[in-house]
Amino acid sequence: MIVLQNLIDAVSLGAVYALAALGIGLIFSVMRLINFAHGELIMVGGFTLYTLAGQPLLVMILAALLTSTVLALGMERVAFRTLRKASPATLLISSFAVSYLIQHIVLLAFGSRAMGVAFLPELGTAIDLGGLRIPLLQLVTIAVTLVLMAGLVAFFRLSETGLQMRAAAEDFTMARLVGVKANRVIAFAFAISGVLASIVSFYLVAQTGSVSYKMGVSMVLIAFVSSVIGGMGSIAGAALGGFLVGIVSVSLQAYLPVDLRPYRDAFVFLLFVLFLFWRPDGLLASRADRDRV
Amino acid sequence: MLKIRDLHVSYGNIAALRGISLDVGKSEIVAVIGPNGAGKSTLLLAIAGVVRARAGSVEFDGRAITGQQPEALVTTGLSLVPEGRHIFGSLSVAENLRLGATVRRDRQEVARDIDRVLAMFPILRERYRQRANKLSGGEQQMLAIGRAMLARPRLLLLDEPSLGLAPLIVAQIYEAVRALRDQGVTALIVEQNVGRALSAADRTYVLSSGVIAMSGKSAEFAGNAAFDAAYFGVAEAAR
């Protein structure tokens, strides 16, 4: 029974990590940018919920989705489009700059203390399922993630734009040579990453009941680790990596000696380092990193 | 149709093309031959907008296209089949062909054109649902050409279409190029296979160390002492 309980914990945490990792992995696959400012897309979604607290639920959700998406498109347009031909290192540094800039704007506007938000408190209750006490939030998280992933798979498989994004992820120059518009697929990737980020913010705010200007930082680190484990450049790999990191985290939480549990994440990162010795390219290494045209 | 004047391209401090002038007329097949590192691929990449020219001009159908983006150039009727083919290996043959028609909106005509490509290269019909990285080199080259055809180009740029392929496959690919010309498609082909290039092309340019060493009707090249000197001479010197 306890095993099953842990499994559900693991899958729901893995689902959140997978959504965050997909946001990072998607952008990397089309433009070789590791977007550390992805955490701020999550954070801004959370602060939109905070600002609109008390409004109808649908208004809060739609506003947060919109804010994160617009911010994602904005950072692409202002910070990353001009640097598209720059090296991945330059792109990475500029994503740190964007990250710190947004964090400190929010710090100036809202202060440094975490602030409470009542967002979907009903999800805090647990329901009985054949002897198991399962928090509703976990079930909703798993369900939402499954729906989103099915939607993404359908988008990539069936739509013209999805096909173009897969082509661009594999060989960006060749995709442009058949007429795929570089600006359009990259903007699309950022828009999707914005939507994914705000959904992660819903989970974080519902779970912790608070927002702070640093709330995206640890999530983006986990997302980055997950997408590396999956294989940078592979969209499916990012999702897989997220689930794996979630499962490992919950297992450590459950089976580490009690006095070591507060250091769970240190063990997660230690295992990550060991993993890199074994598979430096990740599980589903992408062919896209070979030389381009 | 294509008019290039005094084209210069550099990679950093290294000059790859040093003042190329070249013309391709409508429905012509023109070959560019030359040793490794002569700048042949760079020439095609510069025409297709992948690499930027430092100086000089490229005109396509009387319009200056220098400095335009690759995705914009496809819509003007210019398609590049790059060296190494660059098919999308993780996608199916069908998806690769669909991507070839990215710039088109006439879905029914696209379906008919896909049929034409499959009729031209029947092996692709057998492999239609397979991942493209499962294809042999020759099949990949056919797919790359078919994918380029689906944009309905008026000018096809082919970079080393015979590289690493068996003679029988090479013959089939050049057969396709000739068939396309009969349908009014112009082709500019870069080749290392001199015999192939000379027999397929109406006119040929010899490129060496970033400049045109010689040009003329292909038929006049064979056994021509000046050609031997221009081609093999520079090949010796490049060593």
Side-chain angles (χ1 to χ4, degrees), chain A residues 120-128 133-139:
Chain A
L120 292 173
E122 312 80 52
L123 294 184
T125 55
I127 55 167
D128 270 312
R133 301 267 307 155
I134 299 166
L136 205 50
L137 177 62
Q138 290 190 349
L139 293 180

Side-chain angles (χ1 to χ4, degrees), chain A residues 36-275:
Chain A
F36 272 92
H38 189 72
E40 279 50 63
L41 299 177
I42 296 171
M43 182 263 283
V44 164
F47 271 86
T48 307
L49 296 178
Y50 170 78
T51 312
L52 295 177
Q55 300 289 325
L57 185 63
L58 194 66
V59 171
M60 291 170 76
I61 288 177
L62 289 179
L65 283 167
L66 189 69
T67 313
S68 296
T69 308
V70 168
L71 183 65
L73 290 170
M75 65 173 67
E76 189 274 320
R77 188 69 191 83
V78 175
F80 301 130
R81 187 173 294 187
T82 44
L83 294 174
R84 201 170 293 163
K85 291 221 170 75
S87 72
T90 308
L91 283 164
L92 177 69
I93 302 287
S94 73
S95 88
F96 277 118
V98 171
S99 165
Y100 278 100
L101 177 68
I102 296 171
Q103 277 183 33
H104 285 84
I105 289 171
V106 172
L107 178 65
L108 278 175
F110 293 92
S112 63
R113 289 221 324 264
M115 293 172 298
V117 192
F119 176 66
L120 292 173
E122 312 80 52
L123 294 184
T125 55
I127 55 167
D128 270 312
L129 257 180
L132 290 177
R133 301 267 307 155
I134 299 166
L136 205 50
L137 177 62
Q138 290 190 349
L139 293 180
V140 172
T141 302
I142 294 172
V144 168
T145 303
L146 287 180
V147 169
L148 270 175
M149 293 208 167
L152 275 178
V153 168
F155 167 75
F156 282 120
R157 291 269 150 222
L158 303 177
S159 76
E160 277 317 296
T161 306
L163 178 62
Q164 291 180 13
M165 288 178 75
R166 279 156 66 211
E170 180 170 335
D171 190 334
F172 197 77
T173 304
M174 191 60 232
R176 296 182 71 193
L177 280 169
V178 297
V180 171
K181 292 193 179 78
N183 289 340
R184 187 165 172 277
V185 288
I186 288 178
F188 235 96
F190 271 90
I192 295 174
S193 87
V195 169
L196 293 172
S198 61
I199 287 167
V200 171
S201 81
F202 299 159
Y203 170 85
L204 285 179
V205 175
Q207 197 219 14
T208 64
S210 70
V211 295
S212 92
Y213 78 106
K214 281 202 172 292
M215 66 187 275
V217 174
S218 60
M219 186 57 88
V220 84
L221 204 56
I222 294 276
F224 169 63
V225 165
S226 303
S227 54
V228 171
I229 289 174
M232 278 316 249
S234 160
I235 297 164
L240 175 68
F243 275 107
L244 284 179
V245 172
I247 289 164
V248 169
S249 299
V250 170
S251 309
L252 288 169
Q253 181 74 38
Y255 301 112
L256 271 181
V258 175
D259 41 339
L260 285 180
R261 279 182 200 170
Y263 310 105
R264 180 192 78 180
D265 284 351
F267 285 93
V268 172
F269 288 113
L270 178 69
L271 287 174
F272 172 58
V273 171
L274 296 176
F275 170 86

Side-chain angles (χ1 to χ4, degrees), chain B residues 162-181:
Chain B
S162 71
L163 194 69
L165 302 183
L168 211 63
I169 307 285
V170 175
Q172 205 181 339
I173 280 165
Y174 272 95
E175 196 50 53
V177 172
R178 264 187 293 271
L180 291 173
R181 188 251 292 270

